[in-house]
Coordinates of all heavy atoms in Angstrom, one line a residue:
M1 N -28.1 -13.5 6.0 CA -26.9 -12.7 6.3 C -27.4 -11.3 6.6 O -27.0 -10.6 7.5 CB -25.8 -12.8 5.3 CG -24.5 -12.3 5.8 SD -23.2 -12.5 4.7 CE -23.6 -11.3 3.4
L2 N -28.2 -10.8 5.7 CA -28.6 -9.3 5.7 C -29.5 -9.2 7.0 O -29.4 -8.1 7.7 CB -29.4 -8.8 4.5 CG -28.5 -8.7 3.3 CD1 -29.4 -8.4 2.0 CD2 -27.5 -7.6 3.5
D3 N -30.4 -10.2 7.3 CA -31.2 -10.1 8.5 C -30.3 -10.1 9.8 O -30.6 -9.4 10.7 CB -32.1 -11.3 8.6 CG -33.3 -11.1 7.6 OD1 -33.5 -10.1 7.1 OD2 -33.9 -12.2 7.4
T4 N -29.2 -10.9 9.7 CA -28.3 -10.9 10.9 C -27.6 -9.7 11.1 O -27.5 -8.9 12.1 CB -27.3 -12.0 10.7 OG1 -27.9 -13.3 10.5 CG2 -26.3 -12.0 11.9
Y5 N -27.2 -8.9 10.0 CA -26.5 -7.7 10.0 C -27.5 -6.6 10.5 O -27.2 -5.8 11.3 CB -26.0 -7.3 8.6 CG -25.3 -5.9 8.6 CD1 -23.9 -6.0 8.9 CD2 -25.9 -4.9 8.3 CE1 -23.2 -4.8 8.9 CE2 -25.1 -3.6 8.2 CZ -23.8 -3.6 8.6 OH -23.1 -2.5 8.6
A6 N -28.7 -6.7 10.1 CA -29.6 -5.7 10.4 C -29.9 -5.8 11.9 O -30.1 -4.8 12.6 CB -31.0 -5.9 9.7
K7 N -30.0 -7.1 12.5 CA -30.2 -7.2 13.9 C -29.0 -6.7 14.7 O -29.2 -6.2 15.8 CB -30.5 -8.8 14.2 CG -31.8 -9.2 13.8 CD -32.0 -10.7 14.0 CE -33.4 -11.1 13.5 NZ -33.4 -12.5 13.2
L8 N -27.9 -6.9 14.2 CA -26.6 -6.5 14.9 C -26.5 -4.9 14.9 O -26.0 -4.3 15.8 CB -25.4 -7.1 14.3 CG -25.2 -8.5 14.6 CD1 -24.0 -9.1 13.8 CD2 -24.9 -8.8 16.1
N9 N -26.9 -4.3 13.8 CA -26.7 -2.8 13.6 C -28.0 -2.1 13.7 O -27.9 -0.9 13.5 CB -25.9 -2.7 12.3 CG -24.6 -3.2 12.4 OD1 -23.6 -2.8 12.9 ND2 -24.5 -4.5 11.7
G10 N -29.1 -2.7 13.9 CA -30.3 -2.0 13.7 C -30.5 -0.8 14.7 O -31.3 0.1 14.4
T11 N -29.8 -0.9 15.9 CA -30.0 0.2 16.8 C -29.0 1.3 16.6 O -29.0 2.4 17.3 CB -29.9 -0.3 18.2 OG1 -28.6 -0.9 18.3 CG2 -31.1 -1.1 18.5
T12 N -28.1 1.2 15.6 CA -27.1 2.2 15.4 C -27.0 2.6 13.9 O -26.4 3.7 13.6 CB -25.7 1.7 15.8 OG1 -25.3 0.6 15.0 CG2 -25.6 1.4 17.3
Y13 N -27.6 1.9 13.0 CA -27.5 2.1 11.6 C -28.6 3.1 11.1 O -29.8 2.7 11.3 CB -27.6 0.8 10.8 CG -27.5 1.1 9.3 CD1 -26.3 1.5 8.7 CD2 -28.6 0.9 8.5 CE1 -26.2 1.7 7.4 CE2 -28.5 1.0 7.1 CZ -27.3 1.5 6.5 OH -27.3 1.8 5.2
C14 N -28.2 4.2 10.6 CA -29.1 5.2 10.2 C -29.4 5.0 8.7 O -28.5 5.0 7.9 CB -28.6 6.6 10.4 SG -29.5 8.0 9.6
Q15 N -30.7 4.9 8.3 CA -31.1 4.9 6.9 C -31.3 6.3 6.4 O -32.5 6.6 6.3 CB -32.3 3.9 6.8 CG -32.1 2.6 7.4 CD -33.4 1.7 7.3 OE1 -34.1 1.8 6.4 NE2 -33.6 1.0 8.4
Q16 N -30.2 6.9 6.0 CA -30.3 8.3 5.7 C -31.5 8.7 4.8 O -31.9 9.8 4.9 CB -29.0 8.8 5.1 CG -27.9 8.9 6.1 CD -27.1 7.6 6.2 OE1 -27.1 6.8 5.3 NE2 -26.3 7.4 7.2
A17 N -31.8 7.8 4.0 CA -32.7 8.1 2.9 C -34.1 8.5 3.5 O -35.0 9.1 2.9 CB -32.9 6.9 1.8
C18 N -34.4 7.9 4.7 CA -35.8 8.1 5.2 C -35.8 9.6 5.7 O -36.9 10.3 5.5 CB -36.1 7.2 6.3 SG -35.7 7.6 7.9
N19 N -34.8 10.1 6.4 CA -34.9 11.5 6.9 C -36.0 11.9 7.6 O -36.5 13.1 7.7 CB -34.6 12.5 5.7 CG -33.8 13.6 6.1 OD1 -33.1 13.7 7.1 ND2 -33.8 14.7 5.3
D20 N -36.7 10.9 8.3 CA -37.9 11.2 9.1 C -37.6 12.2 10.2 O -38.5 12.8 10.8 CB -38.6 10.0 9.7 CG -39.2 9.1 8.6 OD1 -39.5 9.7 7.4 OD2 -39.5 7.9 8.8
C21 N -36.3 12.2 10.6 CA -35.9 13.1 11.8 C -35.7 14.5 11.4 O -35.4 15.4 12.2 CB -34.7 12.4 12.4 SG -33.3 12.2 11.3
E22 N -35.8 14.8 10.1 CA -35.5 16.1 9.6 C -36.4 17.1 10.4 O -37.5 17.1 10.5 CB -35.8 16.2 8.1 CG -35.4 17.6 7.7 CD -35.5 17.7 6.1 OE1 -36.3 16.9 5.5 OE2 -34.9 18.5 5.5
G23 N -35.7 18.2 10.9 CA -36.4 19.2 11.6 C -36.6 19.0 13.1 O -37.1 19.8 13.8
A24 N -36.2 17.9 13.6 CA -36.4 17.5 15.0 C -35.5 18.4 15.9 O -35.7 18.5 17.0 CB -36.1 16.0 15.3
C25 N -34.3 18.7 15.4 CA -33.3 19.4 16.2 C -33.5 20.9 16.2 O -33.5 21.5 15.1 CB -31.9 19.2 15.7 SG -30.7 20.1 16.7
P26 N -33.7 21.6 17.3 CA -34.0 23.1 17.2 C -32.8 23.8 17.0 O -32.8 25.0 16.8 CB -34.6 23.3 18.7 CG -33.9 22.2 19.6 CD -34.0 21.0 18.6
Y27 N -31.6 23.1 17.0 CA -30.3 23.8 16.7 C -29.9 23.6 15.3 O -28.7 24.0 15.0 CB -29.3 23.4 17.6 CG -29.7 23.5 19.1 CD1 -30.1 22.5 19.9 CD2 -29.8 24.8 19.7 CE1 -30.5 22.6 21.2 CE2 -30.1 24.9 21.0 CZ -30.6 23.8 21.8 OH -30.9 24.0 23.0
G28 N -30.7 23.0 14.5 CA -30.5 22.8 13.1 C -29.4 21.7 12.8 O -28.9 21.8 11.7
V29 N -29.1 20.9 13.7 CA -28.1 19.8 13.4 C -28.7 18.8 12.4 O -29.9 18.3 12.5 CB -27.8 19.0 14.7 CG1 -27.0 17.7 14.4 CG2 -27.1 19.8 15.8
P30 N -28.0 18.6 11.3 CA -28.5 17.7 10.3 C -28.1 16.3 10.6 O -27.2 15.7 10.3 CB -27.6 18.1 9.0 CG -26.3 18.7 9.6 CD -26.7 19.2 11.1
I31 N -29.1 15.8 11.4 CA -29.0 14.4 12.0 C -28.5 13.3 11.1 O -27.5 12.6 11.3 CB -30.3 14.0 12.8 CG1 -30.5 15.1 13.9 CG2 -30.1 12.6 13.3 CD1 -31.9 14.9 14.5
S32 N -29.2 13.2 10.0 CA -28.9 12.1 9.0 C -27.5 12.3 8.4 O -26.8 11.3 8.3 CB -29.9 12.0 8.0 OG -30.0 13.2 7.2
D33 N -27.1 13.5 8.2 CA -25.8 13.7 7.7 C -24.7 13.4 8.7 O -23.6 12.9 8.4 CB -25.6 15.2 7.2 CG -26.3 15.4 5.9 OD1 -26.4 14.5 5.0 OD2 -26.7 16.5 5.6
V34 N -25.0 13.8 9.9 CA -24.0 13.5 11.0 C -23.9 12.0 11.2 O -22.7 11.5 11.3 CB -24.6 14.1 12.4 CG1 -23.7 13.7 13.5 CG2 -24.4 15.6 12.2
L35 N -25.0 11.3 11.2 CA -24.9 9.8 11.2 C -24.3 9.1 10.0 O -23.8 8.1 10.2 CB -26.3 9.3 11.6 CG -26.9 9.8 13.0 CD1 -28.2 9.2 13.2 CD2 -25.9 9.6 14.1
R36 N -24.4 9.8 8.9 CA -23.7 9.3 7.7 C -22.2 9.3 7.9 O -21.5 8.3 7.7 CB -24.1 10.1 6.5 CG -23.4 9.7 5.2 CD -23.8 10.4 4.0 NE -23.9 12.0 4.2 CZ -22.8 12.7 4.1 NH1 -21.6 12.3 3.7 NH2 -22.9 14.1 4.3
T37 N -21.7 10.4 8.5 CA -20.2 10.5 8.7 C -19.8 9.6 9.8 O -18.7 8.9 9.7 CB -19.8 12.0 9.0 OG1 -20.4 12.3 10.3 CG2 -20.2 12.9 8.0
R38 N -20.7 9.3 10.8 CA -20.4 8.3 11.9 C -20.2 7.0 11.1 O -19.3 6.1 11.5 CB -21.5 8.3 12.8 CG -21.3 7.3 13.9 CD -22.5 7.1 14.8 NE -22.3 6.2 15.8 CZ -22.5 4.8 15.6 NH1 -22.9 4.4 14.5 NH2 -22.2 4.0 16.6
M39 N -21.1 6.7 10.1 CA -21.0 5.3 9.5 C -19.7 5.2 8.8 O -19.2 4.1 8.8 CB -22.2 5.3 8.5 CG -22.2 4.0 7.6 SD -23.6 4.1 6.4 CE -23.0 5.4 5.3
Y40 N -19.1 6.2 8.1 CA -17.9 6.2 7.5 C -16.8 5.7 8.4 O -16.0 4.9 8.2 CB -17.5 7.4 6.8 CG -18.4 7.9 5.7 CD1 -18.7 9.2 5.6 CD2 -19.0 7.0 4.9 CE1 -19.5 9.7 4.6 CE2 -19.9 7.5 3.9 CZ -20.1 8.8 3.7 OH -20.9 9.3 2.8
A41 N -16.9 6.2 9.7 CA -15.9 6.0 10.7 C -16.1 4.5 11.4 O -15.1 3.8 11.4 CB -15.9 7.0 11.8
T42 N -17.3 4.3 11.7 CA -17.5 3.1 12.6 C -17.8 1.8 11.8 O -17.4 0.7 12.2 CB -18.7 3.3 13.6 OG1 -19.9 3.7 12.9 CG2 -18.4 4.5 14.5
D43 N -18.6 2.0 10.7 CA -18.8 0.8 9.8 C -17.8 0.6 8.8 O -17.4 -0.5 8.5 CB -20.2 1.0 9.2 CG -21.3 1.0 10.3 OD1 -21.1 0.3 11.3 OD2 -22.4 1.6 10.1
Y44 N -17.3 1.6 8.1 CA -16.5 1.6 7.0 C -14.9 1.6 7.5 O -14.0 1.3 6.8 CB -16.5 2.6 5.9 CG -17.8 2.7 5.2 CD1 -18.1 3.6 4.4 CD2 -18.9 1.7 5.5 CE1 -19.3 3.7 3.5 CE2 -20.1 1.7 4.8 CZ -20.3 2.7 3.9 OH -21.5 2.8 3.3
Q45 N -14.8 2.0 8.7 CA -13.5 2.0 9.4 C -12.6 3.0 8.6 O -11.4 2.8 8.5 CB -12.8 0.7 9.5 CG -13.7 -0.4 10.2 CD -13.6 -0.1 11.7 OE1 -12.6 0.0 12.3 NE2 -14.8 0.0 12.3
D46 N -13.2 4.0 8.2 CA -12.4 5.1 7.5 C -12.5 6.4 8.1 O -13.3 7.3 7.7 CB -12.9 5.1 6.0 CG -11.9 6.0 5.1 OD1 -11.1 6.8 5.7 OD2 -11.9 5.8 3.9
V47 N -11.8 6.5 9.1 CA -11.9 7.8 10.1 C -11.5 9.0 9.4 O -12.3 10.1 9.5 CB -11.1 7.6 11.4 CG1 -11.3 8.7 12.3 CG2 -11.7 6.4 12.2
E48 N -10.5 8.9 8.6 CA -10.0 10.1 7.9 C -11.0 10.7 6.9 O -11.3 11.9 6.9 CB -8.7 9.9 7.1 CG -7.5 9.7 8.2 CD -7.4 10.8 9.1 OE1 -7.5 12.1 8.8 OE2 -7.4 10.5 10.3
F49 N -11.7 9.8 6.1 CA -12.7 10.1 5.2 C -13.9 10.7 6.1 O -14.5 11.8 5.6 CB -13.1 9.0 4.3 CG -14.2 9.3 3.3 CD1 -14.0 10.2 2.3 CD2 -15.5 8.8 3.6 CE1 -15.0 10.5 1.4 CE2 -16.5 9.1 2.7 CZ -16.3 9.9 1.6
A50 N -14.2 10.1 7.1 CA -15.3 10.5 8.0 C -15.0 12.0 8.4 O -15.9 12.8 8.4 CB -15.5 9.7 9.2
K51 N -13.8 12.2 8.8 CA -13.5 13.6 9.3 C -13.6 14.6 8.3 O -14.1 15.7 8.4 CB -12.1 13.6 9.9 CG -12.0 12.9 11.3 CD -10.6 13.0 11.9 CE -10.6 12.4 13.3 NZ -9.3 12.6 14.0
D52 N -13.2 14.2 7.1 CA -13.2 15.1 5.9 C -14.7 15.5 5.6 O -15.0 16.7 5.4 CB -12.5 14.5 4.7 CG -11.1 14.5 4.8 OD1 -10.5 15.1 5.7 OD2 -10.5 13.7 4.0
E53 N -15.5 14.5 5.6 CA -17.0 14.6 5.3 C -17.7 15.4 6.4 O -18.4 16.3 6.2 CB -17.6 13.3 5.1 CG -17.3 12.6 3.9 CD -17.7 13.4 2.6 OE1 -18.9 13.6 2.5 OE2 -16.9 13.7 1.7
Y54 N -17.2 15.1 7.6 CA -17.8 15.9 8.8 C -17.5 17.4 8.7 O -18.3 18.2 8.9 CB -17.3 15.4 10.1 CG -18.1 15.8 11.3 CD1 -19.3 15.3 11.6 CD2 -17.5 16.8 12.1 CE1 -20.1 15.8 12.7 CE2 -18.2 17.3 13.3 CZ -19.5 16.7 13.5 OH -20.2 17.2 14.6
A55 N -16.3 17.7 8.3 CA -15.9 19.1 8.2 C -16.5 19.9 7.1 O -16.6 21.1 7.2 CB -14.3 19.1 7.9
L56 N -17.1 19.1 6.2 CA -17.9 19.7 5.1 C -19.3 20.1 5.4 O -19.9 20.8 4.8 CB -18.0 18.8 3.9 CG -16.7 18.5 3.1 CD1 -16.8 17.6 2.1 CD2 -16.0 19.8 2.6
L57 N -19.7 19.6 6.6 CA -21.2 20.0 7.0 C -21.3 21.4 7.4 O -20.4 22.0 8.1 CB -21.6 19.1 8.3 CG -21.6 17.6 8.1 CD1 -22.0 16.9 9.4 CD2 -22.5 17.2 7.0
D58 N -22.3 22.1 6.9 CA -22.6 23.5 7.2 C -22.8 23.7 8.7 O -22.5 24.7 9.3 CB -23.9 23.9 6.4 CG -23.6 24.1 4.9 OD1 -22.3 24.3 4.5 OD2 -24.5 24.0 4.1
V59 N -23.5 22.8 9.3 CA -23.8 22.8 10.7 C -23.4 21.4 11.2 O -23.8 20.3 10.7 CB -25.3 22.9 11.1 CG1 -25.5 22.8 12.5 CG2 -25.8 24.3 10.5
N60 N -22.5 21.4 12.2 CA -22.1 20.1 12.8 C -22.9 19.7 14.1 O -23.9 20.5 14.5 CB -20.6 20.0 13.0 CG -20.1 20.9 14.0 OD1 -20.8 21.4 15.0 ND2 -18.8 21.3 14.0
A61 N -22.5 18.7 14.8 CA -23.2 18.4 16.0 C -22.6 18.9 17.3 O -22.8 18.3 18.4 CB -23.2 16.9 16.1
S62 N -21.9 20.0 17.3 CA -21.4 20.7 18.5 C -22.3 20.9 19.5 O -22.2 20.8 20.6 CB -20.6 21.8 18.2 OG -21.3 22.7 17.5
A63 N -23.6 21.3 19.0 CA -24.7 21.6 20.0 C -25.1 20.4 20.7 O -25.6 20.5 21.8 CB -25.9 22.1 19.1
C64 N -24.9 19.3 20.3 CA -25.3 18.0 21.0 C -24.5 18.0 22.3 O -25.0 17.3 23.2 CB -25.2 16.8 20.2 SG -25.9 16.8 18.6
L65 N -23.3 18.5 22.4 CA -22.5 18.3 23.6 C -23.1 19.0 24.8 O -22.9 18.5 26.0 CB -21.2 18.9 23.3 CG -20.3 18.4 22.3 CD1 -19.0 19.1 22.1 CD2 -20.1 16.9 22.4
S66 N -24.0 20.0 24.5 CA -24.6 20.6 25.8 C -26.1 20.5 25.8 O -26.8 21.3 26.4 CB -24.2 22.2 25.8 OG -24.5 22.7 24.5
C67 N -26.6 19.6 25.0 CA -28.1 19.5 24.8 C -28.6 18.3 25.6 O -27.9 17.3 25.7 CB -28.5 19.3 23.3 SG -30.1 19.0 23.0
S68 N -29.9 18.5 26.2 CA -30.4 17.4 26.9 C -30.8 16.2 26.1 O -30.8 15.0 26.5 CB -31.7 17.9 27.6 OG -32.7 18.1 26.6
G69 N -31.0 16.5 24.8 CA -31.3 15.4 23.8 C -32.8 15.2 23.7 O -33.2 14.4 23.0
D70 N -33.6 15.9 24.6 CA -34.9 15.6 24.5 C -35.7 16.0 23.2 O -36.6 15.2 22.8 CB -35.7 16.6 25.7 CG -35.3 16.1 27.0 OD1 -34.8 15.0 27.2 OD2 -35.5 16.8 28.0
P71 N -35.3 17.0 22.5 CA -36.0 17.2 21.2 C -36.0 16.2 20.2 O -36.9 16.0 19.5 CB -35.3 18.6 20.7 CG -34.7 19.2 21.9 CD -34.3 18.0 22.8
C72 N -34.9 15.5 20.2 CA -34.6 14.5 19.1 C -34.8 13.0 19.6 O -34.7 12.1 18.8 CB -33.3 14.5 18.4 SG -31.9 14.3 19.4
R73 N -35.0 12.9 20.9 CA -34.9 11.6 21.5 C -35.8 10.6 20.8 O -35.4 9.4 20.7 CB -35.1 11.6 23.0 CG -34.8 10.4 23.7 CD -34.9 10.5 25.3 NE -34.2 11.8 25.7 CZ -32.9 11.8 26.0 NH1 -32.2 10.8 25.7 NH2 -32.4 12.9 26.4
D74 N -37.0 11.0 20.4 CA -37.9 10.0 19.9 C -38.2 10.3 18.4 O -39.2 9.9 17.8 CB -39.3 10.1 20.7 CG -39.1 9.7 22.1 OD1 -38.3 8.7 22.4 OD2 -39.7 10.4 23.0
A75 N -37.4 11.0 17.8 CA -37.6 11.5 16.4 C -37.3 10.4 15.4 O -37.7 10.6 14.2 CB -36.7 12.7 16.1
C76 N -36.4 9.4 15.7 CA -36.2 8.4 14.7 C -37.3 7.3 14.6 O -37.5 6.7 15.5 CB -34.8 7.7 15.0 SG -34.3 6.5 13.9
T77 N -37.8 7.3 13.5 CA -38.8 6.2 13.2 C -38.3 4.7 13.2 O -39.1 3.9 13.0 CB -39.6 6.6 11.9 OG1 -38.7 6.7 10.8 CG2 -40.5 7.8 12.1
H78 N -36.9 4.6 13.2 CA -36.3 3.2 13.2 C -35.7 3.0 14.6 O -35.0 2.1 14.6 CB -35.2 3.3 12.1 CG -35.9 3.5 10.7 ND1 -36.4 2.4 10.0 CD2 -36.2 4.5 10.0 CE1 -36.9 2.8 8.8 NE2 -36.8 4.0 8.8
G79 N -36.0 3.8 15.5 CA -35.6 3.5 16.9 C -34.1 3.8 17.3 O -33.7 3.4 18.3
L80 N -33.5 4.7 16.5 CA -32.1 5.0 16.9 C -32.1 6.0 18.0 O -33.0 7.0 17.9 CB -31.4 5.6 15.6 CG -30.6 4.6 14.8 CD1 -31.6 3.7 14.1 CD2 -29.7 5.5 13.8
A81 N -31.2 5.9 18.9 CA -31.1 6.8 20.0 C -30.2 8.0 19.5 O -29.0 8.1 19.8 CB -30.5 6.1 21.2
I82 N -30.8 8.9 18.9 CA -30.1 10.1 18.2 C -29.1 10.8 19.0 O -28.0 11.0 18.8 CB -31.0 11.0 17.4 CG1 -31.8 10.3 16.3 CG2 -30.3 12.2 16.9 CD1 -32.8 11.0 15.7
P83 N -29.7 11.1 20.4 CA -28.7 11.9 21.2 C -27.5 11.1 21.5 O -26.4 11.8 21.8 CB -29.6 12.2 22.4 CG -31.0 12.0 22.0 CD -31.0 11.0 20.9
D84 N -27.7 9.8 21.8 CA -26.5 9.0 22.2 C -25.5 8.8 21.1 O -24.4 8.3 21.3 CB -27.0 7.6 22.6 CG -27.9 7.8 24.0 OD1 -27.8 8.8 24.5 OD2 -28.7 6.8 24.2
L85 N -26.0 9.0 19.8 CA -25.1 8.9 18.6 C -24.4 10.1 18.2 O -23.3 10.2 17.7 CB -25.9 8.2 17.6 CG -26.4 6.9 17.9 CD1 -27.3 6.4 16.7 CD2 -25.3 5.8 18.0
C86 N -25.1 11.3 18.3 CA -24.6 12.4 17.6 C -23.5 13.2 18.4 O -22.5 13.6 17.8 CB -25.7 13.5 17.4 SG -26.8 13.1 16.0
A87 N -23.6 13.2 19.7 CA -22.6 13.9 20.5 C -21.3 13.1 20.4 O -20.2 13.7 20.2 CB -23.0 14.0 22.0
P88 N -21.4 11.8 20.6 CA -20.0 11.0 20.4 C -19.5 11.2 18.9 O -18.2 11.1 18.7 CB -20.5 9.6 20.7 CG -21.7 9.7 21.5 CD -22.4 10.9 21.1
T89 N -20.4 11.3 18.0 CA -19.8 11.6 16.6 C -19.1 12.9 16.6 O -18.0 13.0 15.9 CB -21.0 11.5 15.7 OG1 -21.6 10.2 15.7 CG2 -20.5 11.8 14.2
H90 N -19.5 13.9 17.2 CA -18.8 15.1 17.1 C -17.4 15.0 17.8 O -16.4 15.5 17.4 CB -19.7 16.2 17.9 CG -19.0 17.6 17.8 ND1 -18.9 18.3 16.7 CD2 -18.3 18.2 18.8 CE1 -18.1 19.5 16.9 NE2 -17.9 19.4 18.2
R91 N -17.5 14.4 19.0 CA -16.3 14.1 19.8 C -15.2 13.3 18.9 O -14.0 13.6 18.9 CB -16.5 13.4 21.0 CG -17.2 14.2 22.1 CD -17.2 13.6 23.5 NE -18.2 14.1 24.3 CZ -19.3 13.6 24.5 NH1 -19.7 12.5 23.9 NH2 -20.3 14.3 25.3
M92 N -15.8 12.5 18.1 CA -14.8 11.5 17.3 C -14.3 12.3 16.1 O -13.1 12.0 15.7 CB -15.5 10.4 16.9 CG -14.9 9.4 16.1 SD -15.8 7.7 15.8 CE -17.3 8.3 15.1
L93 N -15.1 13.1 15.5 CA -14.8 13.7 14.1 C -14.5 15.1 14.0 O -13.9 15.5 13.0 CB -15.9 13.3 13.1 CG -16.3 11.8 13.0 CD1 -17.5 11.7 12.0 CD2 -15.1 11.0 12.5
A94 N -14.7 15.8 15.1 CA -14.5 17.3 15.0 C -12.9 17.6 15.1 O -12.2 16.8 15.8 CB -15.2 18.0 16.1
Ligands
LIG1 S1 -35.3 8.9 11.1 FE1 -33.6 7.6 12.0 S2 -33.0 6.3 10.3 FE2 -34.2 8.0 9.4 S3 -32.6 9.5 8.9 FE3 -33.3 10.0 11.0 S4 -31.9 8.9 12.3 FE4 -31.6 8.1 10.3
LIG2 S1 -29.0 16.1 20.8 FE1 -29.9 18.1 20.9 S2 -28.6 19.3 19.5 FE2 -28.2 17.1 19.2 S3 -29.5 16.6 17.3 FE3 -30.5 16.1 19.3 S4 -31.8 18.0 19.7 FE4 -30.2 18.5 18.3

């Protein structure tokens, strides 16, 4: 069952503990924290909690709205398309 879940969510699920993408964003977006708040909304279906947690971030993903995404595009060692996830997260939770 876990393998099935991993296959279904492997391209969107951020394993925050790895943090291999740290420092990839020149604008200081804390990618793993942003994706953690996304997980609260999309996986846990708790949008209000996700918004509360997103509001606590010192730096949010607003920069992603006008960024090409090139700096972080290949930064995830688990194959997540970071630019495609962070900007929508900001739109959803800001
Ligand atoms: S490298 Fe990928 S899986 Fe790891 S924290 Fe960053 S986005 Fe998440
Ligand atoms: S899309 Fe741009 S602003 Fe957003 S995390 Fe990636 S490099 Fe940073």
Side-chain angles (χ1 to χ4, degrees):
M1 189 173 76
L2 289 174
D3 284 345
T4 302
Y5 184 83
K7 283 173 185 163
L8 287 172
N9 296 281
T11 56
T12 59
Y13 178 69
C14 168
Q15 307 178 34
Q16 287 90 21
C18 94
N19 213 19
D20 289 341
C21 56
E22 184 177 21
C25 176
Y27 305 104
V29 173
I31 296 167
S32 63
D33 283 331
V34 170
L35 296 183
R36 173 175 54 82
T37 63
R38 178 186 179 280
M39 176 185 69
Y40 296 146
T42 60
D43 295 327
Y44 297 177
Q45 302 289 305
D46 193 340
V47 175
E48 289 310 310
F49 180 68
K51 285 184 174 180
D52 289 345
E53 289 292 304
Y54 191 76
L56 293 175
L57 297 180
D58 291 334
V59 178
N60 66 23
S62 60
C64 303
L65 299 180
S66 56
C67 176
S68 68
D70 289 344
C72 69
R73 194 173 308 283
D74 300 318
C76 179
T77 52
H78 296 272
L80 268 66
I82 295 171
D84 296 342
L85 297 171
C86 283
T89 298
H90 181 76
R91 290 192 196 95
M92 175 171 58
L93 301 179

